[in-house]
Amino acid sequence: MSDRPLTLMAVHAHPDDEATGTGGVLARYAAEGVRTVLVTCTDGGCGDGPGGVKPGDPGHDPAAVASMRRAELEASCGILKVGHLETLDYADSGMMGWPANDAPGSFWRTPVEEGAARLAELMRHYRPDVVVTYDENGFYGHPDHIQANRITMKALTMTELTPKVYWTTAPRSMMRRFGELMREFGGDWEEPDPAETDAMAEIGLPDEEITTWVDTTAFGAQKFDALAAHASQGENIFFLRMGQERFTELMGVETFVRVRDTTGAAVPENDLFAGLR
């Protein structure tokens, strides 16, 4: 038997992504003695600046925003008890269609082989038992999320070390509840146009297609506080408006699709490490 600890590696695009989709599992598995590793691919420089100044507006300094967001990321990792933070520090590409997509050094513009080679080195170092990232559409079509999927899946083929691989997702039932809460808290979803309705229908998966449901309710406070640590982006983080109790009610179970498995563990499962312990 190996003395190496069970290891979870989460590969995310920006500072704050770690808290939204995987804050619960990072906190839960750290509490269980699993070694947790977070890889953040971009510097978050396309986020809001001090005072809420937007990318492209006068006074928005991507380098200053990146520095601020790095400090917030470290604070979030402290709250979630993440054991190891690794940053690839590619330039944030912004939303699809933004000029930042094609800026020199942007993550979206980076050759997949290059990003994958760097990530593969981290995989060889940490030898994760479970790797978590986004699906091929980056959950909702963000270029940096898509690129995180691409380099992760490529790095996995380079290393062939990881028994279990997951993509984050959300059940459609939760997305409906999310829409109700958006309306309750003043979100602009009262009368979405047909295009928006169609787009929302493509986010997440039917409940029966989700392979893995992990109860992280006991870690809802940590997850909420980790998200709140990204204070500079608070205007964009809808979940913070709910308060901790409602947030935990909606976000207390994290869901995944298992896309690689060498353990033979049955699905549906309620543990990313099913078959490994």
Side-chain angles (χ1 to χ4, degrees), residues 129-150:
D129 301 281
V130 172
V131 169
V132 175
T133 192
Y134 315 99
D135 64 21
E136 293 164 312
N137 190 47
F139 187 59
Y140 66 98
H142 194 296
D144 287 331
H145 291 221
I146 294 169
Q147 188 76 331
N149 167 276
R150 290 173 177 171

Side-chain angles (χ1 to χ4, degrees), residues 7-134:
T7 300
L8 167 65
M9 175 180 282
V11 182
H12 281 291
H14 312 99
D16 77 26
D17 290 333
E18 80 290 339
T20 306
T22 58
V25 292
L26 287 168
R28 171 180 162 167
Y29 289 120
E32 293 179 4
V34 171
R35 181 172 61 169
T36 53
V37 181
L38 171 64
V39 181
T40 301
C41 296
T42 81
D43 61 10
C46 285
D48 288 357
V53 62
K54 303 297 181 185
D57 287 351
H60 186 276
D61 180 353
V65 172
S67 177
M68 175 177 64
R69 296 194 72 185
R70 173 60 186 255
E72 292 174 340
L73 176 62
E74 291 174 353
S76 171
C77 286
I79 292 165
L80 297 173
K81 309 300 183 186
V82 170
H84 303 271
L85 170 63
E86 300 283 354
T87 56
L88 301 185
D89 288 325
Y90 289 108
D92 189 341
S93 310
M95 300 299 287
M96 191 67 80
W98 286 16
N101 293 176
D102 296 317
S106 76
F107 189 39
W108 183 241
R109 184 174 170 176
T110 298
V112 171
E113 291 277 351
E114 176 191 320
R118 295 181 63 195
L119 183 57
E121 283 303 304
L122 293 175
M123 289 180 176
R124 293 186 186 103
H125 175 71
Y126 290 107
R127 300 182 67 85
D129 301 281
V130 172
V131 169
V132 175
T133 192
Y134 315 99

Side-chain angles (χ1 to χ4, degrees), residues 98-234:
W98 286 16
N101 293 176
D102 296 317
S106 76
F107 189 39
W108 183 241
R109 184 174 170 176
T110 298
V112 171
E113 291 277 351
E114 176 191 320
R118 295 181 63 195
L119 183 57
E121 283 303 304
L122 293 175
M123 289 180 176
R124 293 186 186 103
H125 175 71
Y126 290 107
R127 300 182 67 85
D129 301 281
V130 172
V131 169
V132 175
T133 192
Y134 315 99
D135 64 21
E136 293 164 312
N137 190 47
F139 187 59
Y140 66 98
H142 194 296
D144 287 331
H145 291 221
I146 294 169
Q147 188 76 331
N149 167 276
R150 290 173 177 171
I151 73 162
T152 301
M153 301 312 291
K154 182 64 177 178
L156 287 163
T157 66
M158 291 176 172
T159 59
E160 298 185 347
L161 294 172
T162 304
K164 303 187 81 175
V165 181
Y166 294 87
W167 293 345
T168 57
T169 192
R172 295 270 168 83
S173 59
M174 191 199 82
M175 295 306 296
R176 288 191 293 272
R177 178 65 178 139
F178 179 69
E180 294 167 3
L181 286 169
M182 285 284 284
R183 289 189 288 274
E184 178 182 337
F185 285 89
D188 188 21
W189 277 13
E190 291 291 350
E191 296 182 11
D193 64 35
E196 290 175 335
T197 301
D198 291 345
M200 285 303 301
E202 296 302 316
I203 294 179
L205 289 172
D207 293 26
E208 63 271 16
E209 293 183 20
I210 293 172
T211 64
T212 311
W213 305 69
V214 184
D215 185 356
T216 61
T217 306
F219 302 92
Q222 277 177 264
K223 182 172 176 174
F224 184 86
D225 290 347
L227 202 56
H230 297 279
S232 68
Q233 309 307 305

